[in-house]
Amino acid sequence: MSPADTATKPPPAAERVYHHVKQAVLDRRYEGGTLLSEGELADAVGVSRTPVREALLRLEAEGLLKLYPKKGALVLPVSSQEIADVVETRLLVEQHAVAKVVPAGERLLGRLEELLEEQKAHAVAGDLAAFAAADRCFHAAIVRAAGNAILAQLYDQLRDRQLRMGVATMHAEPGRIAKNITEHTEILRALRAGDAGFASGLVQRHISWVNNLARGEAR
């Protein structure tokens, strides 16, 4: 087989199922409480049931699904405890990171400007999944710029949970989209001004809002 053939070879069937289901869960096409059947997923992706089972087992290990033999896979709702745990972890990492990047370099500031413009474009288009992804990238850029590879790796492990919660938040509170853009603009302005304390306080307020979900004030 030539290198060109290898490059164009489609991913294994189980990998296709895994990405299909995971993306649908993250952007809420498969919402919490939905029961997925192996047969329906096999038909949707165009594969047999064997790779479907393999993919579902992988997603169960990641905490997104719960398998029920002979019934299917239940998409697990985002729990209040999961939200609280993610918020606590994000605060520990992000408040440290945003203070450490001051004075922020032009490379970071320019990247944050780009991501802010992406968020605005996705908001206009009504693409909540893309907005959540750009939102998450905004925060991740600050964490990576802090220069601690271990913290950056820890933060990346929260990626899927952050994306899922972000979409859930915006479905529950559509006005949150504009608020996120405003708060990101304020964070960027504080970084440009070199005010580490103010930037850290803005991040704390911005992230802590998600705890409204845990208190049942939003789905």
Side-chain angles (χ1 to χ4, degrees):
M1 182 179 293
S2 70
D5 292 333
T6 302
T8 58
K9 184 179 179 181
E15 194 73 14
R16 299 205 306 274
V17 177
Y18 169 81
H19 286 292
H20 168 81
V21 177
K22 185 170 186 174
Q23 191 58 50
V25 170
L26 294 181
D27 63 23
R28 284 175 54 104
R29 282 179 287 126
Y30 295 154
E31 295 197 40
T34 302
L35 186 65
L36 307 174
S37 77
E38 290 182 3
E40 290 173 349
L41 292 175
D43 291 341
V45 184
V47 298
S48 68
R49 292 195 180 201
T50 298
V52 171
R53 294 190 192 101
E54 183 181 335
L56 294 182
L57 283 168
R58 184 175 168 189
L59 290 163
E60 183 180 46
E62 293 181 9
L64 295 177
L65 307 175
K66 173 66 176 176
L67 300 187
Y68 292 93
K70 299 182 181 179
K71 292 184 179 180
L74 182 71
V75 179
L76 294 176
V78 177
S79 70
S80 59
Q81 186 60 55
E82 181 181 4
I83 292 169
D85 290 348
V86 169
V87 168
E88 182 178 16
T89 306
R90 286 189 64 191
L91 285 172
L92 289 170
V93 174
E94 293 192 45
Q95 284 192 277
H96 167 79
V98 78
K100 191 175 179 181
V101 298
V102 175
E106 284 302 319
R107 181 174 180 180
L108 172 61
L109 295 172
R111 178 58 179 153
L112 295 178
E113 287 277 10
E114 291 174 3
L115 290 166
L116 192 54
E117 291 305 313
E118 285 183 27
Q119 290 167 63
K120 292 175 182 177
H122 295 316
V124 171
D127 191 336
L128 297 187
F131 182 92
D135 183 305
R136 191 263 171 194
C137 286
F138 183 94
H139 292 271
I142 296 173
V143 173
R144 284 194 297 270
N148 186 318
I150 295 175
L151 279 182
Q153 184 178 29
L154 171 64
Y155 190 79
D156 282 343
Q157 292 173 2
L158 299 176
R159 175 185 177 276
D160 294 341
R161 289 184 170 89
Q162 284 181 250
L163 292 177
R164 194 176 180 209
M165 289 177 191
V167 175
T169 300
M170 289 178 288
H171 272 283
E173 297 286 337
R176 189 63 207 172
I177 297 173
K179 290 178 183 177
N180 274 9
I181 291 173
T182 297
E183 290 171 10
H184 283 176
T185 301
E186 292 172 347
I187 292 169
L188 178 56
R189 188 177 297 126
L191 288 176
R192 282 197 180 280
D195 192 333
F198 188 44
S200 180
L202 290 171
V203 166
Q204 192 276 336
R205 185 188 69 180
H206 177 65
I207 297 172
S208 295
W209 184 89
V210 184
N211 267 328
N212 288 348
L213 292 174
R215 292 195 296 266
E217 296 173 17
R219 291 193 303 275

